[in-house]
Amino acid sequence: MSNFKDNITADSLAERALFHLKYSRGKDLRSATTFDKMMCFSHAVRDMAVDGFIATQRQYLDKDVRRVNYLSMEYLIGKMLANNVVALGIVEASKEALKKLDISFEEVLALDVEAGLGNGGLGRLAACYLDSLATKELPAYGYGIRYEHGIFRQEFENGWQKERPDEWLALGYPWELVRPEYTLPVCVYGRVTKNFRPGKGANDVWQDFQVFEAVPFDLPIIGYGVNTVNMLRLWKSQPAEGFRLDVFNQGDYVRAVEEKNWAENVSKVLYPSDYTYAGKELRLIQEYFLASCSVRDIIRRYKKTHRDFSQFAEKNVIQLNDTHPTLAIVELMRVLLDEEHIPWAQAWDITVNTFCYTNHTLLAEALEKWTVDLLQRVLPRHMQIIFEINHRFLQQVEINHPGKGELMRKVSLIEEGAHKQVRMANLCVVGSNKVNGVSALHSELLKTETMPEFDTIYPDKFTNVTNGITHRRWLIKANPELSELISKKIGDDWRKDLSQLEKFQEFATNKAVQKRFREIKREKKVELCRVIKELTGYLVSPDSQFDVQIKRLHMYKRQLLKAMHIIHLYNKIKENPAAQVQPKTFIFAAKAAPAYLIAKSVIKLINTMAECINNDVDVAGRLKVVFLPDYNVSLAEKIIPAADISEQISTAGLEASGTGNMKLSLNGALTVGTWDGANIEIAQHVGEENIFIFGNRTEDLAKLRSKGYNPRTYVEKSEDLQGVLEAIRNNIFDPSQPDLFKDLYNEVTEHGDFYFYLADYESYIKCNEEVDKLYATPAKWTEKTILNVARMGWFSSDRSIQDYCDDIWHLERTPVKTGEDID
């Protein structure tokens, strides 16, 4: 089979880039800016993928394949240019082509735009999965929202997080293809009435609704080394009727544009604050916007080749990435009932057999709920359908489990109380044929702790698919030097099949390989030192140990515990300036939700500590603390290859999986972690002797809770811990503001220490002492880091996607023909 990528040469790329420079940018080489060259070269690369894009869509349509439609509120896709060049296999051709434009590949990459479509692990996982689906030649579509601003841009002002707008679309985005011909109307508000038909009874009619529109923008997702180019479709909201000229002419300038402003707000920003009623309403409309557009687009495509809905569930899987797109279940029911006039039982059978649901959290506060009042106001017909789904479901539960009132109360889609709420996770379980957790422990706790009643009702519905990462971005692209070393020793097969990486473990004790491995790590640390200097002004040594904690900032992820460890070391040095301490650089990067005040206090504490410790002559050369602002994919690609230590220290039983742990281990960082999430499976694959596990396990914490956990008992028996807590309470790092961190102190003492910081503190300190002992023996340390790299093959997102295919989706690989191979 011919590969369309084989025809891409340096000359063809340069020719296409110059074409776009002239006809898309209106420039020639004499007048072109660096930005012009980045845009025209990106367009050239996108053009080169169009042959594969068209051939892929044609193949899916002609073969009438079963497809997965992945619905996610987030896609943290990162910068696309370098990733696409790697996927197309044209890195060297690109470098040669850009010489003809009088610019280097590195200069162009520096100006590439990072799409603001996601926040954290949920969105990065979705991006990895799209990459793997295309690379494994599987029929797939991604659906999301084209946020105008996306996640906020984080800055620090006097150590505090400040949120700034992320203007990622301000200068244009070269990777998208707008599809105005597939614009869809979206309806909200209104009322439901009965329409009586003689001899046919009455049916419910949704009317008097407000309408706005969804315009799709497509991003090509290029498979690595194959012809498949799948699609990520992003929806942008716009008014159905834009500027009201009639109102404007009457002199009411504000009302003339208010409908336009309202409609455009729906896709304005990722996760609008839901701390006000208006914010909640906008968030709900946003979730429905994604669900409604995506479901009706899937139906439109299905109807191209099918006259009825008898094969809809056979030809389509809709995977819900967390509860945000839950309303897709209700929307499909509404379309089947109200527009296609399919009887309830048949419509429900189609719906349940179409949907699958991925749960990402065990935290009760993170299991999404919407008040019945709000749903009735915004989506009256959908609320009516939810009530009917619940009524029929509870009837069946009563038949199968008679007299189990408590069971029915817990599984009901409606939570009773002063304000009735719809439990979206319950609706996902009832409306899907498969529910999966994202790590072995998480999936087990989902069945035994979070949703045991549903596991009783649906004993075969729950399963596990442990998360994975795409090594194409997180090793091949982020760490080409390490990739080259691996290929020199075991060949290139691992680049397509990460399980082949296990061959590299044969070189774990090879002195020459260890030497080169350490050289690469230091090179990456030197690069990161430059980034740290640029972003923070701090000078750090590449010869210090780089201890890294990079993830969304949440109290259960316990960035504060790392801060407590730093304070422990600082106190040790202040008490004895001659104390022997392993030189360390502690590197943090994280964003806190704008309204999460206690998490913002952790950021302020770490920045305050940094200002003090980094300028303290007593600790010079031994401790440095840096908090890098505006954490994103591009910054992660700089930090991860340079890390020595990977901090994965969440409270046991609360981290669903984690994927940062996988990326760091794949790049030769040793994990310090709790027995939680995917840490457990990493330990099982790399060997428990090659990972540092500390702290109470899930079952231990359950016993502590049942006995009545008192954090004060840990404080009373440890002078060291008392000193650390007093440093926080009294703010020894900035005595001019002594009460600044009292809330943090109270959080772990007076308020019950919900996340067990104090219960795990002593174990964490001892674990870090073991880390330093090993780090002092470079050969042994390097052996373990190489074994971590070599044994991470199982954590490929390719394996995760194969698990989905085998256990949930049942897709067939569909190789794509191009060029002369097309019949």
Side-chain angles (χ1 to χ4, degrees):
M1 183 174 69
S2 69
N3 192 322
F4 76 89
K5 302 171 184 180
D6 295 338
N7 299 321
I8 304 175
T9 64
D11 287 341
S12 64
L13 274 171
E15 182 181 348
R16 178 58 60 170
L18 289 168
F19 172 89
H20 277 291
L21 183 61
K22 182 176 182 180
Y23 293 105
S24 297
R25 305 296 301 169
K27 299 277 189 76
D28 62 14
L29 274 176
R30 290 180 64 186
S31 59
T33 65
T34 304
F35 178 77
D36 289 322
K37 294 175 183 180
M38 182 278 291
M39 289 292 283
C40 74
F41 183 70
S42 297
H43 278 298
V45 174
R46 189 194 71 182
D47 287 356
M48 295 300 178
V50 166
D51 283 343
F53 187 73
I54 293 172
T56 300
Q57 305 312 311
R58 183 188 305 159
Q59 188 96 333
Y60 293 167
L61 187 65
D62 291 348
K63 293 199 167 189
D64 193 20
V65 295
R66 177 174 170 84
R67 320 168 193 222
V68 63
N69 303 277
Y70 199 84
L71 271 61
S72 178
M73 284 286 281
E74 296 186 44
Y75 289 93
L76 201 60
I77 57 177
K79 293 184 176 182
M80 295 287 282
L81 178 54
N83 202 62
N84 287 342
V85 165
V86 169
L88 290 166
I90 56 169
V91 174
E92 294 307 317
S94 297
K95 291 177 179 178
E96 287 300 313
L98 286 165
K99 288 179 183 177
K100 301 177 189 294
L101 274 67
D102 299 323
I103 194 169
S104 73
F105 191 40
E106 288 69 29
E107 288 176 280
V108 166
L109 293 182
L111 285 179
D112 193 19
V113 178
E114 179 153 341
L117 301 173
N119 175 24
L122 181 88
R124 186 53 233 170
L125 182 76
C128 284
Y129 281 178
L130 292 188
D131 177 277
S132 287
L133 282 161
T135 298
K136 291 182 71 65
E137 301 177 293
L138 294 167
Y141 295 88
Y143 284 100
I145 295 177
R146 184 180 178 268
Y147 303 104
E148 184 177 333
H149 293 295
I151 189 62
F152 60 85
R153 179 168 52 85
Q154 181 194 52
E155 295 177 359
F156 295 138
E157 190 175 293
N158 192 29
W160 290 100
Q161 171 180 292
K162 296 298 179 183
E163 300 89 25
R164 307 292 186 219
D166 175 20
E167 307 282 359
W168 71 281
L169 284 169
L171 300 176
Y173 190 60
W175 302 106
E176 61 188 13
L177 298 159
V178 61
R179 308 289 197 190
E181 68 274 24
Y182 297 131
T183 297
L184 288 169
V186 182
C187 305
V188 289
Y189 305 117
R191 60 195 177 94
V192 179
T193 60
K194 293 287 186 184
N195 178 31
F196 293 92
R197 296 175 297 170
K200 294 185 178 180
N203 65 310
D204 296 296
V205 178
W206 184 16
Q207 60 185 34
D208 298 337
F209 37 69
Q210 192 167 338
V211 182
F212 63 104
E213 291 181 344
V215 182
F217 288 73
D218 291 349
L219 270 61
I221 306 297
I222 305 169
Y224 181 83
V226 294
N227 285 326
T228 300
V229 180
N230 283 333
M231 175 181 76
L232 169 58
R233 177 155 286 180
L234 303 172
W235 300 102
K236 176 191 175 185
S237 62
Q238 68 178 30
E241 181 179 357
F243 183 76
R244 292 286 302 278
L245 184 62
D246 56 336
V247 178
F248 181 83
N249 287 336
Q250 294 170 17
D252 194 342
Y253 308 114
V254 174
R255 197 159 70 85
V257 295
E258 66 182 6
E259 181 182 341
K260 179 177 187 296
N261 293 339
W262 173 84
E264 290 178 348
N265 280 341
V266 174
S267 60
K268 183 73 73 176
V269 65
L270 172 67
Y271 297 153
S273 174
D274 57 2
Y275 279 79
T276 64
Y277 186 87
K280 284 185 172 71
E281 189 170 301
L282 178 58
R283 174 79 173 267
L284 177 62
I285 292 172
Q286 194 178 67
E287 292 188 0
Y288 175 63
F289 174 69
L290 168 64
S292 175
C293 302
S294 304
V295 164
R296 284 182 293 139
D297 195 57
I298 294 164
I299 290 172
R300 174 194 60 78
R301 191 176 295 111
Y302 172 80
K303 280 186 166 184
K304 284 183 180 180
T305 51
H306 300 86
R307 299 182 64 180
D308 59 42
F309 280 79
S310 60
Q311 290 186 291
F312 187 80
E314 180 184 328
K315 296 298 181 182
N316 287 286
V317 183
I318 301 178
Q319 183 71 39
L320 304 176
N321 190 30
D322 214 350
T323 54
H324 309 126
T326 304
L327 288 168
I329 293 171
V330 193
E331 176 71 355
L332 180 57
M333 281 296 290
R334 186 196 66 78
V335 172
L336 295 178
L337 294 169
D338 297 355
E339 298 179 18
E340 303 297 334
H341 308 295
I342 294 172
W344 181 282
Q346 185 182 345
W348 184 243
D349 185 64
I350 292 170
T351 299
V352 171
N353 284 299
T354 297
F355 281 95
C356 303
Y357 160 54
T358 299
N359 173 282
H360 283 278
T361 184
L362 300 170
L363 294 171
E365 67 268 23
L367 291 174
E368 200 171 25
K369 298 173 186 175
W370 292 104
T371 63
V372 168
D373 289 346
L374 181 58
L375 269 164
Q376 283 179 325
R377 168 176 155 73
V378 176
L379 298 166
R381 176 60 178 142
H382 294 75
M383 190 63 246
Q384 194 176 49
I385 292 171
I386 291 170
F387 277 136
E388 184 64 19
I389 292 171
N390 194 45
H391 172 69
R392 291 173 182 247
F393 166 62
L394 292 181
Q395 274 190 329
Q396 195 60 47
V397 172
E398 175 63 26
I399 291 169
N400 295 334
H401 304 273
K404 298 284 184 70
E406 183 64 13
L407 173 68
M408 292 179 68
R409 185 186 68 79
K410 288 186 175 179
V411 300
S412 174
L413 307 189
I414 310 299
E415 181 177 280
E416 302 295 334
H419 299 282
K420 289 185 178 180
Q421 298 186 96
V422 178
R423 298 161 164 161
M424 304 307 273
N426 288 21
L427 177 54
C428 280
V429 175
V430 173
S432 301
N433 66 85
K434 282 289 183 182
V435 177
N436 73 280
V438 290
S439 72
L441 176 64
H442 170 243
S443 296
E444 183 60 27
L445 292 174
L446 190 62
K447 292 195 297 181
T448 59
E449 301 290 335
T450 308
M451 293 183 164
E453 297 81 11
F454 278 112
D455 190 46
T456 299
I457 296 168
Y458 301 119
D460 299 321
K461 186 170 283 197
F462 289 82
T463 187
N464 176 62
V465 178
T466 298
N467 286 346
I469 58 172
T470 171
H471 61 283
R472 289 169 285 278
R473 179 176 285 273
W474 296 110
L475 184 54
I476 295 173
K477 176 180 177 294
N479 203 339
E481 295 84 358
L482 179 55
S483 301
E484 182 183 359
L485 173 63
I486 294 168
S487 289
K488 279 184 178 178
K489 297 302 174 184
I490 67 171
D492 283 331
D493 289 350
W494 68 273
R495 292 173 182 262
K496 280 295 296 286
D497 177 9
L498 198 62
S499 67
Q500 299 295 317
L501 198 57
E502 66 182 1
K503 297 174 184 175
F504 191 53
Q505 66 185 344
E506 298 173 19
F507 299 92
T509 57
N510 183 292
K511 288 190 171 20
V513 172
Q514 283 197 355
K515 181 174 180 291
R516 179 58 187 144
F517 194 95
R518 283 194 292 269
E519 288 172 352
I520 292 168
K521 180 65 72 174
R522 193 179 189 284
E523 289 167 13
K524 293 301 177 183
K525 292 168 82 169
V526 169
E527 289 177 20
L528 183 57
C529 288
R530 286 196 288 266
V531 173
I532 290 170
K533 179 67 169 66
E534 180 183 335
L535 294 179
T536 70
Y538 293 131
L539 287 171
V540 302
S541 169
D543 296 313
S544 63
Q545 181 192 85
F546 279 18
D547 188 326
V548 167
Q549 190 171 15
I550 48 174
K551 53 183 75 251
R552 181 170 54 90
L553 209 145
H554 195 289
M555 293 304 286
Y556 89 84
K557 293 179 183 287
R558 301 203 295 192
Q559 283 90 347
L560 179 58
L561 184 59
K562 184 77 257 175
M564 291 167 68
H565 173 227
I566 298 170
I567 296 169
H568 158 81
L569 294 174
Y570 181 67
N571 284 347
K572 181 178 177 181
I573 293 171
K574 295 302 285 184
E575 289 167 10
N576 177 17
Q580 294 297 308
V581 174
Q582 164 65 48
K584 292 173 179 285
T585 298
F586 299 98
I587 299 167
F588 296 87
K591 293 180 180 179
Y596 197 175
L597 300 183
I598 195 73
K600 285 182 156 184
S601 290
V602 175
I603 293 176
K604 172 60 175 173
L605 171 64
I606 295 169
N607 278 327
T608 304
M609 289 168 55
E611 185 68 21
C612 172
I613 293 171
N614 295 351
N615 293 295
D616 190 325
V617 293
D618 288 343
V619 299
R622 287 182 282 184
L623 301 181
K624 283 289 178 73
V625 181
V626 294
F627 203 125
L628 297 174
D630 203 32
Y631 182 52
N632 56 22
V633 174
S634 300
L635 187 54
E637 289 174 359
K638 296 292 186 185
I639 298 171
I640 287 171
D644 294 308
I645 299 295
S646 165
E647 296 283 350
Q648 309 297 330
I649 58 178
S650 55
T651 308
L654 296 185
E655 184 69 83
S657 172
T659 55
N661 46 8
M662 303 170 192
K663 296 160 195 165
L664 285 153
S665 186
L666 181 64
N667 279 271
L670 297 190
T671 302
V672 173
T674 48
W675 198 251
D676 194 30
N679 290 352
I680 299 169
E681 286 150 290
I682 290 175
Q684 291 165 348
H685 281 82
V686 306
E688 289 189 42
E689 69 280 7
N690 298 312
I691 188 173
F692 296 94
I693 297 294
F694 76 95
N696 289 278
R697 298 194 176 191
T698 306
E699 59 273 20
D700 301 324
L701 297 181
K703 290 176 184 175
L704 280 175
R705 289 187 190 99
S706 66
K707 290 178 181 177
Y709 172 58
N710 181 7
R712 278 285 175 189
T713 60
Y714 294 91
V715 181
E716 291 165 1
K717 65 184 182 183
S718 172
E719 289 186 15
D720 170 36
L721 181 54
Q722 290 169 22
V724 169
L725 292 173
E726 285 169 9
I728 296 171
R729 181 183 62 190
N730 300 328
N731 188 13
I732 66 169
F733 308 103
D734 182 5
S736 68
Q737 302 182 80
D739 296 330
L740 192 58
F741 302 117
K742 285 280 177 67
D743 286 346
L744 283 176
Y745 171 82
N746 291 334
E747 185 76 11
V748 297
T749 54
E750 307 305 320
H751 298 163
D753 189 21
F754 185 78
Y755 296 114
F756 297 97
Y757 286 83
L758 305 192
D760 281 349
Y761 173 80
E762 184 179 352
S763 176
Y764 185 52
I765 297 300
K766 288 180 178 177
C767 180
N768 277 280
E769 290 170 356
E770 293 301 312
V771 170
D772 289 348
K773 286 179 187 175
L774 181 66
Y775 195 76
T777 57
K780 196 64 181 173
W781 178 274
T782 308
E783 177 186 348
K784 290 181 181 293
T785 60
I786 291 174
L787 288 174
N788 266 258
V789 173
R791 294 173 178 174
M792 287 302 292
W794 188 80
F795 294 93
S796 168
S797 52
D798 295 353
R799 186 271 314 153
S800 300
I801 288 301
Q802 193 60 53
D803 285 352
Y804 273 106
C805 284
D806 293 343
D807 299 336
I808 298 175
W809 298 338
H810 309 296
L811 303 181
E812 290 186 11
R813 178 173 166 264
T814 307
V816 174
K817 297 178 181 180
T818 61
E820 66 273 10
D821 293 320
I822 297 175
D823 296 329

PDB file of all heavy atoms in Angstrom, residues 38-55:
ATOM      1  N   MET A  38       6.129  31.065   9.860  1.00  0.00           N
ATOM      2  CA  MET A  38       5.553  29.991  10.671  1.00  0.00           C
ATOM      3  C   MET A  38       4.163  29.623  10.166  1.00  0.00           C
ATOM      4  O   MET A  38       3.834  28.442  10.010  1.00  0.00           O
ATOM      5  CB  MET A  38       5.473  30.426  12.143  1.00  0.00           C
ATOM      6  CG  MET A  38       4.926  29.352  13.094  1.00  0.00           C
ATOM      7  SD  MET A  38       3.101  29.227  13.162  1.00  0.00           S
ATOM      8  CE  MET A  38       2.701  30.768  13.987  1.00  0.00           C
ATOM      9  N   MET A  39       3.352  30.635   9.895  1.00  0.00           N
ATOM     10  CA  MET A  39       1.983  30.369   9.445  1.00  0.00           C
ATOM     11  C   MET A  39       1.962  29.679   8.083  1.00  0.00           C
ATOM     12  O   MET A  39       1.235  28.701   7.880  1.00  0.00           O
ATOM     13  CB  MET A  39       1.194  31.681   9.377  1.00  0.00           C
ATOM     14  CG  MET A  39       0.863  32.284  10.732  1.00  0.00           C
ATOM     15  SD  MET A  39      -0.322  31.301  11.697  1.00  0.00           S
ATOM     16  CE  MET A  39      -1.871  31.720  10.886  1.00  0.00           C
ATOM     17  N   CYS A  40       2.775  30.170   7.139  1.00  0.00           N
ATOM     18  CA  CYS A  40       2.721  29.576   5.798  1.00  0.00           C
ATOM     19  C   CYS A  40       3.306  28.162   5.806  1.00  0.00           C
ATOM     20  O   CYS A  40       2.818  27.285   5.085  1.00  0.00           O
ATOM     21  CB  CYS A  40       3.402  30.475   4.775  1.00  0.00           C
ATOM     22  SG  CYS A  40       5.197  30.510   4.841  1.00  0.00           S
ATOM     23  N   PHE A  41       4.323  27.919   6.633  1.00  0.00           N
ATOM     24  CA  PHE A  41       4.875  26.562   6.711  1.00  0.00           C
ATOM     25  C   PHE A  41       3.881  25.613   7.387  1.00  0.00           C
ATOM     26  O   PHE A  41       3.720  24.464   6.967  1.00  0.00           O
ATOM     27  CB  PHE A  41       6.201  26.563   7.462  1.00  0.00           C
ATOM     28  CG  PHE A  41       6.849  25.197   7.503  1.00  0.00           C
ATOM     29  CD1 PHE A  41       7.378  24.639   6.349  1.00  0.00           C
ATOM     30  CD2 PHE A  41       6.890  24.471   8.676  1.00  0.00           C
ATOM     31  CE1 PHE A  41       7.952  23.368   6.369  1.00  0.00           C
ATOM     32  CE2 PHE A  41       7.462  23.205   8.715  1.00  0.00           C
ATOM     33  CZ  PHE A  41       7.995  22.653   7.558  1.00  0.00           C
ATOM     34  N   SER A  42       3.174  26.090   8.424  1.00  0.00           N
ATOM     35  CA  SER A  42       2.145  25.267   9.069  1.00  0.00           C
ATOM     36  C   SER A  42       1.042  24.916   8.087  1.00  0.00           C
ATOM     37  O   SER A  42       0.562  23.773   8.044  1.00  0.00           O
ATOM     38  CB  SER A  42       1.558  26.007  10.281  1.00  0.00           C
ATOM     39  OG  SER A  42       2.544  26.237  11.261  1.00  0.00           O
ATOM     40  N   HIS A  43       0.628  25.887   7.289  1.00  0.00           N
ATOM     41  CA  HIS A  43      -0.381  25.615   6.257  1.00  0.00           C
ATOM     42  C   HIS A  43       0.135  24.584   5.255  1.00  0.00           C
ATOM     43  O   HIS A  43      -0.622  23.720   4.795  1.00  0.00           O
ATOM     44  CB  HIS A  43      -0.760  26.906   5.526  1.00  0.00           C
ATOM     45  CG  HIS A  43      -1.774  27.737   6.244  1.00  0.00           C
ATOM     46  ND1 HIS A  43      -3.046  27.297   6.515  1.00  0.00           N
ATOM     47  CD2 HIS A  43      -1.688  28.987   6.769  1.00  0.00           C
ATOM     48  CE1 HIS A  43      -3.718  28.238   7.157  1.00  0.00           C
ATOM     49  NE2 HIS A  43      -2.913  29.282   7.328  1.00  0.00           N
ATOM     50  N   ALA A  44       1.414  24.662   4.920  1.00  0.00           N
ATOM     51  CA  ALA A  44       1.992  23.697   3.980  1.00  0.00           C
ATOM     52  C   ALA A  44       1.945  22.285   4.557  1.00  0.00           C
ATOM     53  O   ALA A  44       1.584  21.325   3.863  1.00  0.00           O
ATOM     54  CB  ALA A  44       3.433  24.089   3.647  1.00  0.00           C
ATOM     55  N   VAL A  45       2.293  22.149   5.828  1.00  0.00           N
ATOM     56  CA  VAL A  45       2.254  20.841   6.478  1.00  0.00           C
ATOM     57  C   VAL A  45       0.816  20.325   6.541  1.00  0.00           C
ATOM     58  O   VAL A  45       0.547  19.146   6.281  1.00  0.00           O
ATOM     59  CB  VAL A  45       2.880  20.908   7.885  1.00  0.00           C
ATOM     60  CG1 VAL A  45       2.704  19.587   8.620  1.00  0.00           C
ATOM     61  CG2 VAL A  45       4.363  21.266   7.785  1.00  0.00           C
ATOM     62  N   ARG A  46      -0.113  21.229   6.884  1.00  0.00           N
ATOM     63  CA  ARG A  46      -1.524  20.823   6.917  1.00  0.00           C
ATOM     64  C   ARG A  46      -1.982  20.352   5.540  1.00  0.00           C
ATOM     65  O   ARG A  46      -2.673  19.338   5.405  1.00  0.00           O
ATOM     66  CB  ARG A  46      -2.401  21.987   7.385  1.00  0.00           C
ATOM     67  CG  ARG A  46      -3.850  21.590   7.654  1.00  0.00           C
ATOM     68  CD  ARG A  46      -4.748  22.793   7.788  1.00  0.00           C
ATOM     69  NE  ARG A  46      -4.943  23.470   6.502  1.00  0.00           N
ATOM     70  CZ  ARG A  46      -5.667  24.580   6.336  1.00  0.00           C
ATOM     71  NH1 ARG A  46      -6.217  25.161   7.375  1.00  0.00           N
ATOM     72  NH2 ARG A  46      -5.816  25.119   5.143  1.00  0.00           N
ATOM     73  N   ASP A  47      -1.592  21.088   4.497  1.00  0.00           N
ATOM     74  CA  ASP A  47      -1.965  20.695   3.130  1.00  0.00           C
ATOM     75  C   ASP A  47      -1.466  19.293   2.806  1.00  0.00           C
ATOM     76  O   ASP A  47      -2.154  18.510   2.137  1.00  0.00           O
ATOM     77  CB  ASP A  47      -1.377  21.680   2.111  1.00  0.00           C
ATOM     78  CG  ASP A  47      -2.088  23.013   2.112  1.00  0.00           C
ATOM     79  OD1 ASP A  47      -3.082  23.163   2.844  1.00  0.00           O
ATOM     80  OD2 ASP A  47      -1.630  23.925   1.390  1.00  0.00           O
ATOM     81  N   MET A  48      -0.263  18.976   3.277  1.00  0.00           N
ATOM     82  CA  MET A  48       0.325  17.675   2.973  1.00  0.00           C
ATOM     83  C   MET A  48      -0.481  16.528   3.617  1.00  0.00           C
ATOM     84  O   MET A  48      -0.393  15.390   3.176  1.00  0.00           O
ATOM     85  CB  MET A  48       1.778  17.627   3.449  1.00  0.00           C
ATOM     86  CG  MET A  48       2.696  18.588   2.728  1.00  0.00           C
ATOM     87  SD  MET A  48       2.750  18.277   0.946  1.00  0.00           S
ATOM     88  CE  MET A  48       3.840  19.588   0.390  1.00  0.00           C
ATOM     89  N   ALA A  49      -1.216  16.856   4.678  1.00  0.00           N
ATOM     90  CA  ALA A  49      -2.029  15.832   5.338  1.00  0.00           C
ATOM     91  C   ALA A  49      -3.419  15.694   4.722  1.00  0.00           C
ATOM     92  O   ALA A  49      -4.141  14.745   5.033  1.00  0.00           O
ATOM     93  CB  ALA A  49      -2.166  16.157   6.825  1.00  0.00           C
ATOM     94  N   VAL A  50      -3.783  16.629   3.848  1.00  0.00           N
ATOM     95  CA  VAL A  50      -5.155  16.626   3.315  1.00  0.00           C
ATOM     96  C   VAL A  50      -5.441  15.386   2.476  1.00  0.00           C
ATOM     97  O   VAL A  50      -6.547  14.831   2.519  1.00  0.00           O
ATOM     98  CB  VAL A  50      -5.425  17.923   2.525  1.00  0.00           C
ATOM     99  CG1 VAL A  50      -6.699  17.800   1.685  1.00  0.00           C
ATOM    100  CG2 VAL A  50      -5.538  19.095   3.488  1.00  0.00           C
ATOM    101  N   ASP A  51      -4.446  14.920   1.705  1.00  0.00           N
ATOM    102  CA  ASP A  51      -4.668  13.695   0.924  1.00  0.00           C
ATOM    103  C   ASP A  51      -5.084  12.542   1.833  1.00  0.00           C
ATOM    104  O   ASP A  51      -6.029  11.804   1.532  1.00  0.00           O
ATOM    105  CB  ASP A  51      -3.393  13.307   0.165  1.00  0.00           C
ATOM    106  CG  ASP A  51      -3.169  14.164  -1.067  1.00  0.00           C
ATOM    107  OD1 ASP A  51      -4.126  14.822  -1.508  1.00  0.00           O
ATOM    108  OD2 ASP A  51      -2.031  14.176  -1.570  1.00  0.00           O
ATOM    109  N   GLY A  52      -4.358  12.397   2.942  1.00  0.00           N
ATOM    110  CA  GLY A  52      -4.699  11.339   3.877  1.00  0.00           C
ATOM    111  C   GLY A  52      -6.031  11.583   4.550  1.00  0.00           C
ATOM    112  O   GLY A  52      -6.808  10.649   4.791  1.00  0.00           O
ATOM    113  N   PHE A  53      -6.328  12.837   4.847  1.00  0.00           N
ATOM    114  CA  PHE A  53      -7.585  13.214   5.495  1.00  0.00           C
ATOM    115  C   PHE A  53      -8.779  12.840   4.612  1.00  0.00           C
ATOM    116  O   PHE A  53      -9.742  12.199   5.069  1.00  0.00           O
ATOM    117  CB  PHE A  53      -7.548  14.722   5.748  1.00  0.00           C
ATOM    118  CG  PHE A  53      -8.696  15.258   6.552  1.00  0.00           C
ATOM    119  CD1 PHE A  53      -8.782  15.018   7.912  1.00  0.00           C
ATOM    120  CD2 PHE A  53      -9.672  16.044   5.958  1.00  0.00           C
ATOM    121  CE1 PHE A  53      -9.826  15.525   8.662  1.00  0.00           C
ATOM    122  CE2 PHE A  53     -10.711  16.557   6.691  1.00  0.00           C
ATOM    123  CZ  PHE A  53     -10.792  16.305   8.051  1.00  0.00           C
ATOM    124  N   ILE A  54      -8.712  13.219   3.343  1.00  0.00           N
ATOM    125  CA  ILE A  54      -9.809  12.923   2.414  1.00  0.00           C
ATOM    126  C   ILE A  54      -9.941  11.426   2.182  1.00  0.00           C
ATOM    127  O   ILE A  54     -11.037  10.861   2.205  1.00  0.00           O
ATOM    128  CB  ILE A  54      -9.592  13.675   1.079  1.00  0.00           C
ATOM    129  CG1 ILE A  54      -9.733  15.184   1.299  1.00  0.00           C
ATOM    130  CG2 ILE A  54     -10.571  13.184   0.017  1.00  0.00           C
ATOM    131  CD1 ILE A  54      -9.342  16.027   0.103  1.00  0.00           C
ATOM    132  N   ALA A  55      -8.806  10.754   1.982  1.00  0.00           N
ATOM    133  CA  ALA A  55      -8.837   9.309   1.749  1.00  0.00           C
ATOM    134  C   ALA A  55      -9.398   8.555   2.958  1.00  0.00           C
ATOM    135  O   ALA A  55     -10.140   7.569   2.804  1.00  0.00           O
ATOM    136  CB  ALA A  55      -7.431   8.806   1.423  1.00  0.00           C
TER     137      ALA A  55
END
